[in-house]
Structure formats: structure tokens, C-alpha cells
Amino acid sequence: MIVLSHFSHDAPASLENHRRYAQAHGYRHEIVDASAMPQALPLRPLYRYESLLHVLRGAQPDELVLLLSEDAAIVEPVALDRLMPGRDMLLVDAFAHPLPQVDVQVWRNTAAVRAIVMRLVQRCKLGSEPRLTSEAALFADLDTHHYMTLIDGLCPVMPTGPNLDPMWSRVPTFAVSIDDTPHDPERKGATPRFRDALVAYINRCRAAGQPMFSFDHDAGSEPADSAERSTYNPGRSIAVMTLYTPNIGNYARIAEQNFRRYCDTHGYTLYVHRDIPGEIGLNATGNWFKPWLLHGYLQHHDWVVWLDADVLIADQQKALEPLLEGRDWLLAHDIGQWAFNSGVMAFRRTERNDAMLRDMMATITALQDRSSVYASDGDQLHFIRAMERGGQLDGEGVADLVSFNTPWLFRRADSYIVHYYGMWSDMRALMMAHDDGLLR
């Protein structure tokens, strides 16, 4: 048996994962570092399948070759032949798509298989027609195995990504294919920060024999307060506030401890709501309470900063005052088409902001559906409309997303406030724990 790790990008955690698997079974481990090779189509897959052909031609008859990319990780390290009775190749389709994921492939060294790989090589050669649109498209005419169909009680390959339920942590699964868009394998791509954090976590859990996505022990050294709400450092000029409900506590407790450290460092008041504030009398999910809480706390502070519970303050030494100076509100661009993102917002106590928040409260009260974050197009749309009605979005009043409220995808070493939106709850908890230094 041969494990062939063919990497287009440096990924130490993935390489360690593959190495441990090969060593556990005594398989030969071949490593191809293609990070300095061309990354554009068709040359990247051409080198990949020429490398596979090279290994197959040097293998023993009927020997199995497991081809892994840097976006592949072994979860259940079972023997390779357990997946291959009666098979000469194993290509597992992607999430809800007939084309396969390309990160985990198994090939048996036979003349027929080498002929198939040779056709892949021919398809990748310069000048081939029709033009190759993706690596996954190479396999359009080959049989694939449905990712949820078990082989000897195992899912052979499960897709995973930032916004996909990690079923592979609950269902016995040989390997995962990491993809930001697993429903569309022709747009294959993985965020390196996410991939590296996830595979390192898989490696750590496997080595320690621990269950995955159990973060209670990672939520910080201080015991979590179980009260419905808490106030820390009362009476300061600037207040920071957040709200979360128990169902998202796996990541919200990480955020709370992060905010607590920050506010203690800079002397800001911190308000934490750990459930819906019943006195407001609104039948809604937590996101809809933002204008009520902002308006209420602005009666007692010069500034109130709202932080969603999927936010971390990455630069704990950076103060808010320089960003707030000369402004009446602080907002940042959204990653999508919205005028701004409502997950991180700051407002000064002014008559204009008071009127805007009152207007928004009246609008939300009149909505028919407040049953979820995205019901009635979500609170973000209504914040934008309320500020537009007040003429508060004219000019360049919205900051860039590099300054603050930075999407986690774009986090850098010098990022200030980072927002982990667009993620599955377990994956969000993983990345937040990783980035807040709780998994080291």
C-alpha cells in the first residue's frame, strides 16, 4: 500500500496527518511538494496525475495507492483494503453533486487503471479540447460512490467546510475532504487557516483519544457565569455589550471571556445577556433585540458598542477611543452586498441616534416574522434602512472591513475585531477557540 501526499500548498498539519496514517499501517509514504509548481489549469492537475501515474508504474501489481491532497485528512485510520473489496478505484462524489471531490482518491495498480490515469493526463495536456474547467471535471465519465453510502460500516469520504455540519465527527468516517464550497466541486478551494486549524484539531483529538467539538474545557480559565445577565465595570463612559442564548453557548462563552479580558484591560463597562431579555416583551430571536438594548444602555453611557456573540477582539491592546473620535457612529463594510454589517456597531449618545433607534424599534415591532436571524430579511436590513432614512449613510461614513469587524477569512496578525460569521456552530467554536489561543 502506498500513501501519496500531493500538496499544492504548504500544510504541515495535513502532512502530519497523512504521515501518522501511513506509519500506523506500515504503508510507504510518498510526498510530492508541488507548491512551487504552476497552480493554474491545466498544469496543476497535469503534474498531479503524472505524479500518480509515476507512482502506479513503480508499484506492485494490484497494490493500492491512496492519493491525498493537502485538503484531505484521515479521521478513522482503518486499513485501506477495507474500503476496496471488489474495487479498482474509489472516487467519492462531493456534497449533493455528481462530480467527485478530488482530495481523497484510491487507485489499484492494474493495467486498466493505469490506462484511465493516462486518459486523465492526456485530458490535462496543453492544447487539449475541450478546455478543462476544473480538476473535478476530469472525472465526469467515471463512476463515483455516494458519500453517504457506507462501505463496511464506514463513510469513505465525507465533505467538510466552514458552513457544513461535521457529521463525520458522529458517523464513522475514513477521511474528510475540506472545501469551502463542497456543493460545487468545480469551484474547489479551501481557506488555509481553516484547513490547518481543523486538521491540527483532528490530529490532537485522535492522539488524545478525545471526542471532537467538545469545547467546554476550552472556554477560558474563569468559570462561566450562569446568571441571565451580568454587568462588569459599571458606570464607564464606553460600554460594550453582547447577547447570546444557551443554544450557541459553545462559541459564545469563548467570546464572552474574550470581551471580559478586553474590557478589564481598558476599563470599559461590559454587559452580557445570556438569554432573551423578557422585560422587553418581544417575541423574537436574540438578534432583533439590538435596538432596544442599544437604546437602553445609551441612556447611561457616552458610547455603546454592540458585539455579536461570534466575534473576537483579536488585538486586546488596541483601545476603542481612537476609532470613535470625531464620529457619532462606527460601522464597517459587509462581505456581501449590504451597506454595512450589523454584527459590530458603535453609537454615541446623540439625539439623531436616539431617533434612529426608536424608529427601528417601531419597525421591528410591526414585523410579522421575527422567528429567526434571517426572518424578514434580518435585523441588518432594518438597521440599514433606518440609518438611510436618517441620512446617516451618506459619504464615507462606513469604515473598511480591514479596520474592524473583519471577516474571519481575512484575519491577519494585526487584525482588531474579527467576526466569525457564515460558519456552522461547531466550526465557529473551533476557529474561535483556536484564534483565542485556547487550543494550544
Side-chain angles (χ1 to χ4, degrees):
M1 310 289 185
I2 301 170
V3 176
L4 172 58
S5 297
H6 192 282
F7 283 20
S8 297
H9 302 280
D10 184 47
S14 299
L15 187 59
E16 178 63 18
N17 178 276
H18 302 177
R19 180 182 289 116
R20 288 182 185 179
Y21 174 69
Q23 288 177 343
H25 292 282
Y27 299 158
R28 192 169 98 231
H29 190 195
E30 297 279 349
I31 301 168
V32 177
D33 179 3
S35 60
M37 302 299 175
Q39 298 300 309
L41 293 172
L43 293 179
R44 179 176 52 79
L46 174 62
Y47 184 59
R48 180 172 164 91
Y49 294 103
E50 287 277 19
S51 298
L52 173 61
L53 187 62
H54 174 76
V55 170
L56 284 169
R57 286 174 170 171
Q60 295 296 316
D62 292 323
E63 189 171 15
L64 295 173
V65 177
L66 173 62
L67 174 61
L68 300 172
S69 82
E70 66 272 20
D71 296 330
I74 306 300
V75 179
E76 293 286 345
V78 302
L80 194 56
D81 53 8
R82 179 172 165 181
L83 301 173
M84 298 299 290
R87 300 174 185 272
D88 285 344
M89 62 182 180
L90 179 59
L91 303 171
V92 180
D93 60 19
F95 181 69
H97 199 287
L99 290 179
Q101 53 74 36
V102 297
D103 298 313
V104 183
Q105 306 171 24
V106 189
W107 303 86
R108 190 182 299 278
N109 183 31
T110 68
V113 164
R114 292 194 300 273
I116 291 171
V117 175
M118 187 61 207
R119 289 200 297 273
L120 301 180
V121 168
Q122 288 293 133
R123 183 73 180 82
C124 293
K125 287 187 175 182
L126 294 176
S128 295
E129 293 294 341
R131 185 173 62 88
L132 187 64
T133 57
S134 70
E135 184 174 345
L138 288 169
F139 303 98
D141 297 329
L142 297 178
D143 291 335
T144 60
H145 183 89
H146 191 274
Y147 77 98
M148 286 298 291
T149 301
L150 303 184
I151 301 176
D152 193 22
L154 283 169
C155 281
V157 185
M158 188 84 77
T160 196
N163 193 27
L164 199 62
D165 178 7
M167 293 186 294
W168 49 269
S169 65
R170 305 186 300 273
V171 177
T173 300
F174 171 63
V176 291
S177 163
I178 304 166
D179 192 349
D180 288 351
T181 57
H183 60 283
D184 188 1
E186 291 195 278
R187 293 174 55 218
K188 169 78 176 87
T191 302
R193 262 186 10 92
F194 173 78
R195 175 198 62 222
D196 295 346
L198 176 62
V199 179
Y201 184 67
I202 291 172
N203 292 348
R204 186 180 301 112
C205 290
R206 292 292 312 176
Q210 294 177 341
M212 296 186 194
F213 302 108
S214 177
F215 296 103
D216 287 345
H217 62 288
D218 296 323
S221 57
E222 298 183 26
D225 196 327
S226 59
E228 185 267 334
R229 67 187 68 177
S230 297
T231 301
Y232 305 100
N233 311 321
R236 308 302 173 88
S237 173
I238 297 174
V240 174
M241 62 162 304
T242 192
L243 180 153
Y244 65 88
T245 47
N247 61 302
I248 61 171
N250 64 335
Y251 63 83
R253 287 192 297 272
I254 297 169
E256 177 181 344
Q257 294 297 330
N258 176 276
F259 302 162
R260 179 85 181 272
R261 295 197 309 273
Y262 181 71
C263 290
D264 286 347
T265 297
H266 295 278
Y268 304 142
T269 296
L270 173 63
Y271 296 105
V272 179
H273 288 258
R274 302 183 185 89
D275 213 333
I276 299 299
E279 70 274 14
I280 293 175
L282 187 71
N283 183 18
T285 53
N287 60 300
W288 295 103
F289 289 84
K290 293 180 187 180
W292 277 268
L293 294 174
L294 284 164
H295 183 268
Y297 288 126
L298 272 172
Q299 311 311 307
H300 308 284
H301 303 274
D302 295 331
W303 277 92
V304 174
V305 181
W306 173 277
L307 299 177
D308 276 359
D310 57 351
V311 167
L312 289 179
I313 301 172
D315 187 347
Q316 291 270 317
Q317 301 309 309
K318 187 171 184 176
L320 283 162
E321 285 87 346
L323 272 176
L324 302 178
E325 186 174 357
R327 298 176 180 268
D328 286 340
W329 55 84
L330 180 61
L331 308 164
H333 291 158
D334 186 74
I335 196 171
Q337 296 300 311
W338 305 94
F340 63 85
N341 180 273
S342 66
V344 180
M345 303 180 291
F347 296 95
R348 187 193 295 273
R349 187 174 66 215
T350 68
E351 291 185 3
R352 196 176 187 187
N353 285 336
D354 185 275
M356 183 275 296
L357 290 169
R358 288 181 180 275
D359 175 29
M360 190 172 173
M361 286 187 280
T363 299
I364 291 175
T365 300
L367 292 175
Q368 295 297 309
D369 187 4
R370 301 179 298 264
S371 61
S372 71
V373 171
Y374 300 110
S376 301
D377 295 315
D379 68 273
Q380 185 161 286
L381 172 67
H382 297 284
F383 263 108
I384 291 169
R385 286 179 174 173
M387 295 200 73
E388 286 175 340
R389 286 193 294 270
Q392 292 169 280
L393 293 183
D394 299 335
E396 296 185 357
V398 180
D400 59 81
L401 55 71
V402 175
S403 299
F404 83 112
N405 200 4
T406 302
W408 69 274
L409 297 156
F410 302 143
R411 176 173 172 149
R412 309 185 314 202
D414 61 348
S415 292
Y416 177 28
I417 299 176
V418 179
H419 197 167
Y420 294 78
Y421 51 77
M423 305 185 78
W424 194 269
S425 179
D426 288 333
M427 298 304 194
R428 181 181 287 126
L430 167 64
M431 284 307 302
M432 291 176 67
H434 174 272
D435 286 352
D436 209 35
L438 301 176
L439 297 181
R440 301 186 193 285

